[in-house]
Structures are given as structure tokens and as C-alpha cells.
Amino acid sequence: MNRLSLFIVSTVVALFSFLPQTAAASESEEPGIDVKEIVLGHMSDAYSWHIVTWNGHHVSIPLPVIVKGEHSGWHVFMSSQLDHGHSYEGFFIDETQNGKIYERLDDGSIVRPLDLSITKDVLQIWIVVAIMLWLFIGAARWYRRHDVTRQAPGGIVGLVEMFVMMIYDDLIRPSVGERKARFFAPYLLCAFFFIFITNLLGLIPIFPGGANVTGNITITFFLAMFTMLAVNLFGNKEYWKEIFWPEVPTWLKAPIPIMPVIEFFGVFTKPFALMVRLFANIMAGHAIILSITCVIFITCQIGVAVGASISIVSFVMMIFMNALEFLVAFIQAYVFTMLSAVFIGLAQPEHHAHKA
């Protein structure tokens, strides 16, 4: 999967390096397309939710901006006040600093305020949470009103039950153990459904989808941090004994603690691998789809014959990548939940005498 992504990205980059030269050689007077701005603009977080561009006019949903100034206290206003490079109450969006809000003080200095704004990614997370509440509360109401021994759930409730039983029976119970499965199941099931639904909404090009939430390393950092807390806060004494005094020859533990240091670094490298794996796969998929889409518009500026032929290939590749990303949306949620369950299970080792 990763090799296929790298191959497609390399092909697209090589095509982009060739197309600008061809376009420059032509006598087209149409302005060029900034592929970097389009791709990074759709993948990055923003203070407004862009819907469509119509006749050069950007149609967006403004979002609340909540910032605390250096000396002026809290300010709450809509992001539309900062459109087109305008400033409002001393605050402005600096495009050179990843589009973040900055404050210009009276002495002319520029500082970064405390920013608690409702950005596109935050709103997308709220939408995902609302969908999860609707699914889980609806399923719970169905089970309260029906006898499961006589009637099997169908529709959305049946779909939710299928995913829950699959994750619980195939991942959580074998990895964590029968005794601790019900204790860790709420977190692991919540993580699976959150990542899965977020990935699916990320494939929808228009509102209420399209945000690159799991392709944001900040989001994957916090997801991995929750797994790390679940592993280390609930790990038993055997887990910590295997870290600081593992069953290896003594010369590997004292006087130089080689193995304890390696095992201690493993406490942080495991969640780091979770964070990078989810972030890299989702971000790469979005970047490939957007890049292939841009090929259609770039080739149309070169000429009708070249544009039509390459656009057909780009359209087929775009459909293929969307179908592949639909599968990746489930696989990445499944893999994150599986690895989290395995790490939590490794922190619950039984005593060796009990095993014997």
C-alpha cells in the first residue's frame, strides 16, 4: 500500500514538473493553477469552511474566532471579519505562518494570541461526535425496546452491532483477555468508530465532509497519547518489571542498564508509531487524490487533445484512489484499534507462576 502511494506520488510530481514547461511554451493566456496552494489549502486547517469558488468568489461558512489578546482580553467574532487580508480589533491571519491568527500590538510588534477558535477540524470533530451519539443512542434505545432473543436488529442498528461484535470478538478479547476486555472495550470501540467515521467524512468533497482530521498530526498525537495512557496507567507490576528488570542475562541489566533503557524507550516509540502510521496514510491518500484532480485542470490549459487524453487517465485514477481510500478508511481504523489492543494486552501479562 505504501509502495503504491509512493509510486503514484512520484508519477504525479514528475508530471507536474513537465506540465508547467509545456504550458509556458503554449500561448495560452489563462492564469496557471497553483497546485501547491490547492493541495495544502484543502489539507490544512482553516478558520472558515470553504464550499466552492464561483466566478472568482469564494463561498465559505464563517466560523467563530475565540482569541485572548495580549492586553485586551477575550475577543469573539466571526472569521468573515478577517477575509481578504483584513484585520479586526488588531487581529489578522498571517498566511506566511500556516494561516494562523496573530495580534498586532500598539508598539507594532506581532504576537501569537491564545487561540481557542472553532476551526474546520474542530467542527468536523463535533460532527463526528454527533454522528456517534446518534448511532450509539439509537442502538441502545432499540435494545431497550426489543427482545434480542426473538428479534435480530436490522438497518443501522444491525450495522453498528456487526462492527461492535467484530472489534470486540476479533480484536479486544484475544488481545486484552477475557477479564479485562469489558473494561477497555469502551475506549477501543470509541477510537475505532471515531477514526472510521472521520475517515469516511474526509472522502466527501463538500460540507459536512472534506476536512483532513486524521491527516492532522495533532489529532493523531492525542489519539496515540490516550492509548499510551491506557497502557501505562493500567499496566500491572509484571509489565513494569519486564521494563526495568526484564528476564535477560544480568550483564544486560547491570551495571549498565542496556535492556531497561531499550524497554523504556519502547514506552514512547509504540504510541509514536501509532501516531505516524495513521497520519501518514491518511495525509498521503488525500494528497494523491487532490494532485490527480489538479492534473485535469492543468492539462486543459495546454490544449484540447492533450487535456482530453490525460484528463481521462486522471479521472480513472481519481476514481480508483477514492475507492482505495474508502477501503483504507476502514483498514486504518482497524489497525489503530488492533495495535492499541495489543499494546494494552502486553501491559497486562499474567504472572509466570500462574501461567505454569
Side-chain angles (χ1 to χ4, degrees), residues 22 26 28 298-309 311:
T22 308
S26 65
S28 175
I298 293 178
T299 53
C300 288
Q301 294 183 346
I302 301 176
V304 177
V306 178
S309 58
S311 295

Side-chain angles (χ1 to χ4, degrees), residues 47 65-75 77 82 86-94 97 99-115:
Y47 293 96
V65 174
I66 306 173
V67 290
K68 183 179 181 182
E70 187 76 12
H71 307 294
S72 56
W74 289 98
H75 300 260
F77 53 90
L82 305 178
H86 295 164
S87 62
Y88 183 78
E89 297 181 348
F91 299 95
F92 65 97
I93 296 179
D94 191 350
Q97 299 293 332
K100 299 299 182 180
I101 290 182
Y102 283 81
E103 180 185 13
R104 182 175 287 104
L105 302 180
D106 295 335
D107 59 358
S109 60
I110 297 176
V111 296
R112 179 85 166 95
L114 177 61
D115 191 355

Side-chain angles (χ1 to χ4, degrees), residues 323-341:
L324 186 62
E325 284 300 304
F326 185 82
L327 179 62
V328 170
F330 170 77
I331 292 176
Q332 291 305 316
Y334 187 90
V335 169
F336 185 94
T337 308
M338 179 186 65
L339 293 178
S340 297

Side-chain angles (χ1 to χ4, degrees), residues 200-354:
L200 290 180
L201 287 179
L203 298 177
I204 302 175
I206 59 175
F207 182 85
N212 187 33
V213 176
T214 46
N216 187 330
I217 198 168
T218 305
I219 306 299
T220 59
F221 166 79
F222 278 99
L223 290 173
M225 184 184 68
F226 292 145
T227 296
M228 185 180 71
L229 293 176
V231 169
N232 296 283
L233 291 181
F234 299 100
N236 56 23
K237 61 180 182 181
E238 292 294 326
Y239 166 71
W240 292 106
K241 178 180 178 297
E242 291 180 359
I243 291 179
F244 294 106
W245 198 256
E247 294 185 358
V248 294
T250 306
W251 63 273
L252 292 176
K253 298 181 288 188
I256 301 177
I258 299 177
M259 289 304 298
V261 171
I262 295 176
E263 293 291 340
F264 181 74
F265 272 103
V267 174
F268 302 97
T269 55
K270 291 175 181 177
F272 179 79
L274 283 178
M275 174 187 69
V276 174
R277 176 187 295 271
L278 180 59
F279 157 74
N281 281 277
I282 300 302
M283 185 191 67
H286 286 197
I288 292 172
I289 294 174
L290 291 171
S291 300
I292 295 176
T293 306
C294 290
V295 172
I296 300 176
F297 299 97
I298 293 178
T299 53
C300 288
Q301 294 183 346
I302 301 176
V304 177
V306 178
S309 58
I310 299 182
S311 295
I312 294 175
V313 177
S314 300
F315 180 78
V316 173
M317 288 294 299
M318 184 176 59
I319 297 299
F320 168 75
M321 287 304 304
N322 273 279
L324 186 62
E325 284 300 304
F326 185 82
L327 179 62
V328 170
F330 170 77
I331 292 176
Q332 291 305 316
Y334 187 90
V335 169
F336 185 94
T337 308
M338 179 186 65
L339 293 178
S340 297
V342 170
F343 295 157
I344 292 174
L346 292 176
Q348 310 291 325
E350 297 178 355
H351 197 278
H352 295 290
H354 177 68

